Amino acid sequence: KSKRMSDEIKDAIDKINEETSELELEKEQKHKLEEQARKLEEEKVSIEEAAKKLREEKATAAQELEETLTAMKEIEQEKKNLSKKTASLEANLQNISDEKEHTLAELQAREE
């Protein structure tokens, strides 16, 4: 009877030791999982910050592109205006030159 009781106590102690080992292993695994979760959360925050920065850079680039296109259109319009003014000035200059030649021809004709 005492042997049986001793065996039961030994079995109970063995079972407790086994359960304790399992609990310690579970505790270690839980700690590792918590650490991984913490690292993943930090990485998530870092990725979100990078994504936000990229969205801001994209918006800035789009704004700069829009401003550049507007400026290019304005420059093209100014170029057209200058071209018209140049043509007009050239025509005026040609008219003045023609008038000068006509006037000179008239003066020469009078002198003769």
Side-chain angles (χ1 to χ4, degrees):
K1 201 172 187 182
S2 138
K3 167 80 170 132
R4 188 172 149 228
M5 194 171 193
S6 173
D7 286 346
E8 287 177 3
I9 291 172
K10 185 178 179 287
D11 288 345
I13 290 172
D14 287 345
K15 188 174 180 182
I16 289 172
N17 285 336
E18 185 179 320
E19 288 176 0
T20 302
S21 293
E22 288 174 4
L23 286 173
E24 286 176 2
L25 182 61
E26 285 179 18
K27 183 179 177 182
E28 286 177 27
Q29 289 174 340
K30 180 182 175 189
H31 178 71
K32 286 179 184 178
L33 288 173
E34 288 172 346
E35 183 64 20
Q36 286 176 344
R38 185 190 62 76
K39 287 180 182 178
L40 286 172
E41 184 61 29
E42 288 175 0
E43 191 172 335
K44 176 185 166 195
V45 169
S46 175
I47 290 170
E48 287 172 346
E49 288 172 357
K52 179 183 178 187
K53 184 177 180 184
L54 286 172
R55 283 190 296 273
E56 290 170 354
E57 289 175 1
K58 179 183 174 190
T60 299
Q63 179 64 33
E64 289 173 354
L65 177 61
E66 187 63 35
E67 291 170 1
T68 300
L69 290 174
T70 300
M72 286 175 69
K73 288 176 186 175
E74 290 172 359
I75 289 169
E76 189 61 32
Q77 187 59 47
E78 282 295 315
K79 188 177 168 185
K80 287 178 184 177
N81 291 342
L82 286 173
S83 181
K84 287 178 185 177
K85 286 179 183 179
T86 300
S88 175
L89 289 172
E90 286 174 348
N92 288 343
L93 190 58
Q94 185 62 47
N95 288 339
I96 291 170
S97 179
D98 291 346
E99 285 180 29
K100 177 183 172 188
E101 285 182 27
H102 180 70
T103 304
L104 284 176
E106 283 182 357
L107 284 174
Q108 279 183 341
R110 286 183 189 170
E111 287 179 358
E112 293 177 358

